[in-house]
Amino acid sequence: MDWGLANRMARILKPDTGRTVMLAVDHGYFLGPTSGLEEPGGTIAPLLPYADSLMLTRGVLRRTVPPEADVPIVLRVSGGTSILRELSAEGPTVDVEDAIRLNVSAIAMSIFVGAEGERTTLLNLAKAVDLGERHGIPVLAVTAVGKDMVRDARYLSLACRIAAEIGAHMVKTYHCDGFEEVVRSTPVPVVIAGGKKLPERDAIRLAWSAIRDGARGVDMGRNIFQSDCPVGMIRAVRAVVHEGADVEQAHQVYLREKGR
Ligand code: 5RP
């Protein structure tokens, strides 16, 4: 791996633990003003000190993250669809030159395995990997799951493995029963999305289960920023990912912060 790419990877997967807590706030790119992100700047600011990196679009980055903020950026570079239409028709939305100008640490692109847009999104990922390799920028493949897809280990292993075979440097997917098999058959670091809002303890358990099963971290959004105590939740998730906390210990972290 070339030095620049390895350096950027090390900004995301923290060298002390080899793991990461990415804060995902890119939802607006197809969902519009998602609950909790109506004014992204206000949501992001108190969470920044606890995020190992921030996953977002360039529009929100430019408007809400101060350039002096010392947080690695994972820039979403795919989109072009909305919740109202076929989601798998995504294409590239950012030129790699702009990603470089924005000094990003990685770019993120969704793939839709098994959906109408499968071929196009996989070939777009291949192009992003070529550009990433040329410029030393790692690519995070997001295994987006269409409405009709079952999120089981067989399907997620297929999607993650294809992403890695195309050359993605990291893969983001969902936790599932048999997740250790998904991790085992994906030869690059795997992080999990949080998915829809869960009760806080369940979301902490989700992060804990993923780490137990071999995930290198989380790329979590709604279960943090839609919590009644977002700072408490991100601190709890950090405790699981970086400090080996169990579910109860991490839940106490959340409750202590909420009680302040
Ligand atoms: C959407 C994304 C989101 O970043 C991802 O779903 C993570 O957020 P959440 O934890 O809310 O699921 O990539 O395609």
Side-chain angles (χ1 to χ4, degrees), residues 24 26-27 29-30 55 76 110 142 172 174 193-195 219-223:
D26 60 323
H27 304 61
Y29 90 94
F30 74 103
M55 180 186 179
R76 172 166 282 284
S110 292
V142 178
K172 163 171 155 170
Y174 294 92
D219 185 12
M220 197 174 257
R222 287 163 288 182
N223 278 291

Side-chain angles (χ1 to χ4, degrees), residues 5-224:
L5 204 140
N7 176 259
R8 287 187 172 97
M9 283 289 279
R11 279 178 57 73
I12 294 170
L13 295 168
K14 294 296 161 192
D16 286 354
T17 60
R19 293 185 183 151
T20 189
V21 175
M22 293 186 198
L23 176 63
V25 287
D26 60 323
H27 304 61
Y29 90 94
F30 74 103
L31 286 173
T34 313
S35 167
L37 286 179
E38 295 87 348
E39 296 179 62
T43 303
I44 294 168
L47 297 172
L48 267 186
Y50 308 102
D52 291 328
S53 65
L54 206 51
M55 180 186 179
L56 75 183
T57 58
R58 65 177 162 187
V60 172
L61 174 64
R62 286 186 187 132
R63 300 297 296 183
T64 65
V65 182
E68 59 275 16
D70 185 20
V71 63
I73 298 300
V74 178
L75 188 71
R76 172 166 282 284
V77 298
S78 69
T81 60
S82 84
I83 189 70
L84 302 178
R85 290 192 189 275
E86 172 55 41
L87 286 179
S88 74
E90 279 192 13
T93 52
V94 180
D95 190 297
V96 74
E97 280 184 14
D98 204 32
I100 294 166
R101 255 195 304 276
L102 291 165
N103 197 27
V104 305
S105 296
I107 55 177
M109 178 164 267
S110 292
I111 56 170
F112 291 81
V113 172
E116 256 177 72
E118 174 182 280
R119 181 171 188 276
T120 307
T121 56
L122 290 176
L123 295 180
N124 287 338
L125 175 66
K127 282 186 206 141
V129 171
D130 282 338
L131 288 167
E133 290 284 344
R134 192 174 307 154
H135 298 286
I137 302 180
V139 178
L140 171 69
V142 178
T143 61
V145 176
K147 282 193 261 307
D148 306 325
M149 304 293 175
V150 186
R151 294 181 191 184
D152 62 13
R154 191 157 166 242
Y155 170 74
L156 295 176
S157 296
L158 173 78
C160 291
R161 179 59 176 264
I162 289 172
E165 297 265 353
I166 286 175
H169 305 92
M170 289 172 283
V171 177
K172 163 171 155 170
T173 192
Y174 294 92
H175 187 258
C176 61
D177 289 340
F179 186 71
E180 60 275 30
E181 182 53 33
V182 178
V183 172
R184 199 180 65 76
S185 58
T186 305
V188 294
V190 176
V191 296
I192 61 142
K196 284 191 181 140
K197 174 77 177 69
L198 300 167
E200 276 71 10
R201 187 191 281 273
D202 294 350
I204 291 167
R205 177 168 294 284
L206 174 68
W208 179 84
S209 304
I211 296 297
R212 177 199 60 194
D213 295 343
R216 297 283 291 277
V218 301
D219 185 12
M220 197 174 257
R222 287 163 288 182
N223 278 291
I224 293 174

